[in-house]
Amino acid sequence: MKAAMAALTVAAFVTLLVDVAGGSREPVVLVPGAIFLVLATLGYEWVTRQARRRLSYAYIIGLFLCGFAVFVVSEASVGSTLMLVVLVIQATLTVPLAAVVVLVVLLPLFHAGMDLSEGVREGLGLFAAAVFAAVLTKLLMREQQARQALARAQREVERLAASEERNRIARDIHDGLGHSLTVVQMQIKAARAVLSQPAKADEMLGKAQDQAEEALREVRRSVGALRSPVPLPEALKRLTDETTIVGRARPLAAEAEESLFRAAQEGLTNVHKHAHATRAELFLDFSDPDCVRLEVRDNGTGVAGGDTGGFGLLGLRERAARLGGRLTLESAPGAGATLRMEVPG
């Protein structure tokens, strides 16, 4: 828009030069014309950088007086009319709408000294041109503001997406790698406490090694998921061969698939560590069109008192709640346990 205004201002001044060169206008008109040219180009840049309301009013008044002088001296030439259009555009960009309305109403009065019929005709023409310039400029301003707002919204969406991704990675680290490393740390600490008993220390270090290997496998699974995501049923079958798919599998949201996979992973890990089970099974049920259910079942010793509040299960509950689903643990001493996650999808 600035480039267009500058081009229009230069064109208006060149028109005055042509009129003077052709002898139809007095050379004196070039003085206020040159002042208008400098103000409307270099002056406008300076005023907009200052962003001060009083300075903007003073600038528009100065431009108004120069435009009036050119209009009068050149006897309403085409060049002077073009300069007045530039004046209206810059006023729309720099001062409130009320001031622009006053300016647009005043411009037709420049023709007050003409014959009545000619003055009315020319005044209405100038008024129409001024209104058109003001409305068009306002529309362009609103479009530019809308684009800027859209760009800001896009940046905010990207920021929130990045924040959500960081949170997801943090949950994955806690649910997978963090759990394994915690066990490793505890086993090593216990082994150091019984160094005088080599057999016990060796057993604990062996468990720590197993857990470290599990942590390494978790890292590889996570990296593999980032590189080439696989469908949820296939991912579950990689965890255990005892996986049953009920109903026709369908695509789910990435966060839903991730949550169901983590539930299966956490459930199998707990079975392996605590349940003393001889069998653990995964059931992925797509039969309900409104939700998907994952169950981890085992035939172990069960959990006394039913549900537990470990960090792993807490993280899974948060995942399920965020999706509008739920996580439950059904168990009884000696009767095994069933960890169930249901999510919309």
Side-chain angles (χ1 to χ4, degrees):
M1 186 175 291
K2 291 180 180 179
M5 284 191 303
L8 183 58
T9 306
V10 171
F13 187 74
V14 170
T15 302
L16 290 178
L17 285 175
V18 172
D19 288 344
V20 171
S24 59
R25 299 289 184 269
E26 294 296 328
V28 68
V29 73
L30 296 180
V31 176
I35 296 174
F36 188 98
L37 175 65
V38 173
L39 284 177
T41 53
L42 302 180
Y44 177 77
E45 288 288 338
W46 181 75
V47 169
T48 52
R49 283 198 300 268
Q50 298 299 315
R52 286 154 47 186
R53 179 60 58 84
R54 291 183 178 179
L55 183 60
S56 298
Y57 277 116
Y59 169 74
I60 294 300
I61 291 173
L63 212 59
F64 176 86
L65 295 176
C66 286
F68 177 73
V70 173
F71 187 86
V72 171
V73 175
S74 67
E75 299 177 346
S77 66
V78 174
S80 65
T81 301
L82 292 177
M83 288 185 175
L84 295 179
V85 171
V86 172
L87 167 63
V88 172
I89 293 173
Q90 293 198 358
T92 306
L93 293 172
T94 54
V95 297
L97 183 59
V100 177
V101 171
V102 172
L103 174 63
V104 170
V105 171
L106 287 177
L107 290 182
L109 299 180
F110 286 8
H111 295 277
M114 296 183 177
D115 178 72
L116 181 60
S117 60
E118 182 181 1
V120 170
R121 184 180 67 253
E122 296 294 334
L124 288 177
L126 181 57
F127 178 77
V131 170
F132 176 79
V135 171
L136 182 60
T137 303
K138 204 66 177 177
L139 290 176
L140 291 175
M141 288 174 61
R142 290 184 178 178
E143 181 183 1
Q144 184 178 28
Q145 291 167 356
R147 289 181 179 179
Q148 292 173 348
L150 182 60
R152 289 193 297 270
Q154 180 64 30
R155 289 193 294 271
E156 181 66 14
V157 168
E158 292 174 356
R159 185 189 68 79
L160 292 175
S163 176
E164 178 63 22
E165 181 65 11
R166 287 194 296 270
N167 292 337
R168 186 190 67 80
I169 293 173
R171 289 193 301 269
D172 290 349
I173 291 174
H174 171 268
D175 293 346
L177 187 60
H179 181 73
S180 296
L181 292 179
T182 298
V183 175
V184 169
Q185 186 265 347
M186 293 175 62
Q187 293 293 341
I188 292 176
K189 184 183 292 185
R192 292 183 63 186
V194 294
L195 286 177
S196 59
Q197 304 176 46
K200 287 187 176 181
D202 183 68
E203 178 184 357
M204 293 175 181
L205 289 174
K207 292 180 179 179
Q209 181 179 353
D210 292 341
Q211 219 38 68
E213 292 173 352
E214 174 60 28
L216 182 58
R217 286 193 292 271
E218 170 63 22
V219 170
R220 288 171 176 166
R221 279 195 295 266
S222 297
V223 172
L226 289 173
R227 288 178 175 173
S228 55
V230 297
L232 179 61
E234 182 180 342
L236 295 180
K237 289 178 180 178
R238 291 182 182 182
L239 291 178
T240 176
D241 293 333
E242 300 294 331
T243 299
T244 301
I245 309 299
V246 180
R248 185 174 180 178
R250 57 182 181 269
L252 301 174
E255 189 174 4
E257 289 199 352
E258 176 71 15
S259 298
L260 292 170
F261 178 80
R262 291 299 178 185
Q265 191 178 48
E266 177 72 15
L268 291 175
T269 299
N270 288 339
V271 169
H272 176 71
K273 292 178 180 178
H274 310 300
H276 304 292
T278 60
R279 184 179 179 83
E281 302 172 287
L282 293 179
F283 288 84
L284 183 61
D285 189 354
F286 289 96
S287 58
D288 189 330
D290 297 323
C291 75
V292 178
R293 183 173 70 252
L294 174 84
E295 293 184 356
V296 184
R297 305 176 186 173
D298 69 78
N299 62 351
T301 57
V303 179
D307 206 347
T308 63
F311 287 115
L313 291 181
L314 178 61
L316 293 177
R317 285 195 185 90
E318 291 175 351
R319 286 177 179 270
R322 188 169 51 256
L323 292 169
R326 62 175 181 167
L327 181 86
T328 58
L329 178 61
E330 298 176 357
S331 179
T338 299
L339 178 67
R340 180 181 298 108
M341 178 181 280
E342 296 175 308
V343 298

